[in-house]
Amino acid sequence: MAPSTTTTENINYDASLTGDERAKLVKILGTDRPLEKFTYGGHPLSGKQIEPVDRVRIPKFDSKEDERAFIKLHHAAALRWLGHNGYNNEGAGGHVTVRDPILPDHFWINPHAKSFSHIKPDDLCLVNEDGAVVRPGNLHAVNPAGFAIHAAVHKARPDVLAAVHCHSVPTKAFSALGCKLEPINQDACRFYNDHAIYESFGGIVFAHEEGRRIAEALGNNKAVILQNHGILTVAKTVDGAAFLFGAMDRCIQAQLAADAAAAGRGTQTIKVSHEEAEYTRRVYTDEMEYVMFQSCFEDVVRASNGELPFHVDGEIPRTD
């Protein structure tokens, strides 16, 4: 599946349209956000805004080496954010991988059984497609189950840059129900028709065949619920994959609470309609998911007391 170059800005808009008028066209045309493809582009202007304004965008780089440094910085920050939010409570039961821009068949992964909360870019391990830890990464052991899952996902989805999997209490509970997340609120619509269920559990995933089955179940979706296990999210950036993991975890927590409340009242939860859920899903571009994580990235960097920088050399700010 190749990434899409479609954005909300290359539908035939008149430049004088306000953000509200553009949003109306998006809803009518429904062509800006193919559900089966990654999409790019800055978040569309909103309200009555016509004049261009500064917007957070995924940066470009002077070189692949600079891009690698950026990816490692944001990878470390994503791990710290996951750790600070309690997603590292299972010790080695969590892993984040990011495809290397210089060696596309290699990916970066956190070292085995190390605290997420204090990871630095130089702590990250570089693993090749055979599972060997290689230089220039940290020569530290990695989680073999994590490798089996993530290697299969990256191989099946060359469009995926990053994947996140951790064990949280809500996802462990929800994964035992064998059902998908329902569109009961705006945030849950982000995953509408864009997540799957892996309806099996083959024990700890040491066998690569199990990893391949998980990747097959994921398909072209942005997330998969691993039955009796947890969830895995993927994106075009590690920021986006981490954001989606946290977002899906909180949506699952909200659904568990809503289902329990509805059962106690003898009622059913109210679902967002198919049309509105799909429209909301289309608005959430993959670059927007990167943007949504940047406040978390800033919090992590500030809390690092100088261990992590805000920028890397060669990072070109986006003005388009």
Side-chain angles (χ1 to χ4, degrees):
M1 183 185 76
S4 169
T5 56
T6 306
T7 74
T8 53
E9 296 181 12
N10 59 20
I11 299 173
N12 294 321
Y13 289 132
D14 187 299
S16 65
L17 293 181
T18 67
D20 287 343
E21 290 165 336
R22 292 184 183 209
K24 185 176 181 180
L25 270 184
V26 168
K27 194 168 185 177
I28 293 172
L29 298 176
T31 56
D32 71 299
R33 184 64 164 106
L35 295 184
E36 77 285 2
K37 296 185 178 184
F38 283 124
T39 52
Y40 299 89
H43 193 268
L45 298 176
S46 60
K48 301 297 181 183
Q49 186 69 42
I50 297 176
E51 289 295 312
V53 294
D54 291 336
R55 293 184 284 176
V56 177
R57 298 291 303 276
I58 299 173
K60 296 180 180 179
F61 307 92
D62 284 334
S63 68
K64 289 294 185 181
E65 288 77 11
D66 294 330
E67 184 177 1
R68 172 187 274 176
F70 174 87
I71 284 173
K72 290 175 67 179
L73 168 63
H74 283 248
H75 189 172
L79 285 162
R80 288 192 180 210
W81 180 80
L82 290 164
H84 293 330
N85 282 277
Y87 295 125
N88 191 212
N89 289 340
E90 303 298 334
H95 16 85
V96 177
T97 51
V98 187
R99 191 184 299 277
D100 184 67
I102 299 174
L103 303 168
D105 57 348
H106 291 54
F107 56 88
W108 297 91
I109 188 170
N110 47 291
H112 188 253
K114 290 286 187 176
S115 170
F116 286 5
S117 301
H118 302 284
I119 289 284
K120 297 186 290 293
D122 287 345
D123 294 329
L124 297 171
C125 302
L126 185 62
V127 183
N128 66 20
E129 59 186 352
D130 296 321
V133 179
V134 298
R135 299 183 189 277
N138 175 19
L139 294 182
H140 191 288
V142 301
N143 186 330
F147 168 77
I149 295 174
H150 288 254
V153 168
H154 283 284
K155 184 174 183 179
R157 293 282 300 276
D159 58 315
V160 164
L161 183 78
V164 173
H165 169 67
C166 297
H167 298 170
S168 71
V169 173
T171 60
K172 285 189 285 190
F174 191 76
S175 69
L177 302 178
C179 63
K180 290 185 178 180
L181 186 65
E182 296 177 330
I184 61 172
N185 54 59
Q186 175 177 303
D187 292 333
C189 291
R190 184 188 307 276
F191 301 96
Y192 184 70
N193 282 345
D194 206 4
H195 70 289
I197 301 177
Y198 175 54
E199 298 177 336
S200 181
F201 179 69
I204 296 178
V205 191
F206 290 125
H208 286 208
E209 181 57 36
E210 185 77 355
R212 284 190 287 271
R213 287 196 290 265
I214 290 173
E216 184 178 352
L218 172 65
N220 289 330
N221 297 294
K222 66 169 61 169
V224 59
I225 297 171
L226 310 177
Q227 193 166 285
N228 305 111
H229 189 170
I231 63 172
L232 179 139
T233 57
V234 299
K236 287 299 295 184
T237 61
V238 66
D239 307 72
F243 172 76
L244 286 174
F245 182 90
M248 192 172 196
D249 180 65
R250 292 187 293 275
C251 285
I252 283 173
Q253 189 172 4
Q255 181 166 329
L256 289 170
D259 287 346
R265 295 170 62 89
T267 61
Q268 293 185 342
T269 56
I270 298 172
K271 315 297 190 296
V272 176
S273 71
H274 166 75
E275 180 184 16
E276 295 301 323
E278 189 168 272
Y279 164 66
T280 303
R281 161 70 178 83
R282 290 180 185 278
V283 171
Y284 288 119
T285 67
D286 299 280
E287 184 149 302
M288 181 181 175
E289 287 155 359
Y290 166 85
V291 171
M292 297 289 280
F293 190 74
Q294 294 319 295
S295 59
C296 304
F297 174 77
E298 181 176 335
D299 287 343
V300 167
V301 172
R302 291 190 186 282
S304 75
N305 295 317
E307 282 191 330
L308 301 180
F310 278 104
H311 300 283
V312 301
D313 292 337
E315 188 175 328
I316 305 173
R318 298 287 295 276
T319 58
D320 55 330

